[in-house]
Amino acid sequence: MLIEASDLNMIFEGGIQALKGIELSIQRGEFVSFVGSSGCGKSTLLRILAGLQHGYSGELTLAGMAPLDARQARHNVSFVFQEANLLPWRDVLGNVKLPLELRQDPRMDSEVSDLLDLVGLREFANAFPRQLSGGMKMRASLARALVTRPELLLMDEPFGALDELTRQRLNEELLELWERDEWTCLFVTHNVFEAVFMSQRVFVMKPRPGSIAAEIEIPLDYPRLPELRASPEFARLAGEVSAALREHSE
Ligand SMILES: Nc1ncnc2c1ncn2[C@@H]1O[C@H](COP(=O)(O)OP(=O)(O)O)[C@@H](O)[C@H]1O
Ligand SMILES: [Mg+2]
């Protein structure tokens, strides 16, 4: 198992219980999503896994270690947020290379260019963030997250600000990259359709206190092609996730 959590709890100062009794086992190479209304602890869970949030109780290991130790041992975890957070004074290549520079990793620009190719940005290597559309900024952010060859990619509502068509394209592109390189992905979204389209399992969370209310298997084969979205099986699974969300919201 890459991630194991048992009775994971997080209570913030002031008494807000953001997570209660979380049980999770996630294998290396899995693609799983977390859906749930605002405030049910999705971001807190990802931050804890990234080693960015302490103060939790219960058992939690990432590659057999506590997340803070895993972070110190330079276990390769990358985080992608809804805002692309690119440095405005660096071009796309410069932004994507940044994590390598910070690690003094001497990888060649040619290899970074190959990654830009994979996310469809080769021709924009020397463009600046202000010249990019929202979807292109997100592709650059994704390339920057993948450039360190992470074993775990944590994505917190990454495509939430994009229009529907761009979101669908990025869902397809992200899956292609995942099938190719086999990192583990934990994907947080409000969007039931993107969760079902990409994932092997969907965890439905509920608020106050944040906990896992349901786990739904998505037994669809990969590669998952755009046509899948029009299939009855897809509609059935999306309906199942929606029903679980409704049942556990207030
Ligand atoms: N740093 C913090 N201090 C206090 N409360 C927090 C903090 N971060 C999050 N919370 C609270 O914890 C709960 C879960 O938040 P969050 O993980 O951001 O939920 P989600 O990402 O599902 O919207 C919310 O009630 C939120 O207000
Ligand atoms: Mg959040």
Side-chain angles (χ1 to χ4, degrees):
M1 286 300 159
L2 180 63
I3 296 167
E4 288 211 82
S6 172
D7 196 21
L8 175 67
N9 299 285
M10 176 73 211
I11 301 177
F12 283 108
E13 272 176 54
I16 290 179
Q17 180 148 23
L19 295 172
K20 182 176 162 73
I22 303 289
E23 306 281 333
L24 269 184
S25 291
I26 296 172
Q27 289 183 30
R28 248 172 242 283
E30 268 196 276
F31 197 123
V32 303
S33 289
F34 294 85
V35 298
S37 53
S38 292
C40 62
K42 305 181 298 297
S43 296
T44 301
L45 179 61
L46 290 200
R47 289 177 51 77
I48 290 173
L49 285 166
L52 299 171
Q53 175 73 59
H54 0 193
Y56 61 87
S57 67
E59 293 290 313
L60 177 64
T61 56
L62 171 64
M65 285 179 245
L68 282 171
D69 297 336
R71 188 166 157 228
Q72 262 141 29
R74 296 201 158 220
H75 259 281
N76 238 334
V77 178
S78 288
F79 217 130
V80 177
F81 303 93
Q82 184 167 326
E83 299 77 35
N85 290 324
L86 303 172
L87 298 176
W89 58 87
R90 282 189 166 225
D91 64 10
V92 168
L93 183 68
N95 268 288
V96 172
K97 268 179 12 185
L98 187 64
L100 298 180
E101 289 175 19
L102 294 174
R103 290 166 186 228
Q104 298 179 317
D105 182 324
R107 213 105 47 82
M108 306 298 286
D109 277 6
S110 62
E111 206 178 322
V112 180
S113 296
D114 289 344
L115 183 57
L116 288 183
D117 218 12
L118 285 177
V119 297
L121 284 178
R122 183 183 276 280
E123 282 151 45
F124 294 89
N126 299 116
F128 285 88
R130 65 175 183 280
Q131 300 170 300
L132 305 178
S133 68
M136 284 152 73
K137 283 184 195 150
M138 188 42 70
R139 290 186 175 94
S141 171
L142 185 57
R144 183 184 52 193
L146 293 176
V147 77
T148 53
R149 299 189 185 122
E151 58 187 327
L152 175 62
L153 188 58
L154 301 171
M155 305 188 80
D156 196 354
E157 300 186 31
F159 308 146
L162 304 176
D163 65 81
E164 183 57 22
L165 196 60
T166 306
R167 178 208 287 270
Q168 290 185 7
R169 290 221 177 95
L170 278 158
N171 289 167
E172 291 149 24
E173 291 170 18
L174 181 65
L175 272 192
E176 274 178 40
L177 293 167
W178 170 74
E179 285 181 75
R180 179 176 169 274
D181 290 336
E182 299 181 327
W183 22 267
T184 308
C185 191
L186 270 59
F187 191 99
V188 165
T189 177
H190 280 120
N191 187 304
V192 168
F193 300 101
E194 78 173 346
V196 171
F197 184 76
M198 293 193 291
S199 315
Q200 295 168 306
R201 290 190 284 163
V202 177
F203 293 96
V204 174
M205 293 187 69
K206 67 176 167 114
R208 281 178 290 278
S211 48
I212 294 175
E215 175 189 334
I216 294 161
E217 294 271 341
I218 310 296
L220 302 168
D221 292 337
Y222 295 89
R224 294 186 182 172
L225 303 175
E227 306 81 87
L228 176 63
R229 295 192 182 89
S231 74
E233 182 64 355
F234 182 79
R236 190 187 67 72
L237 289 161
E240 199 178 320
V241 175
S242 297
L245 262 178
R246 260 196 309 276
E247 184 186 339
H248 298 289
S249 67
E250 21 197 90

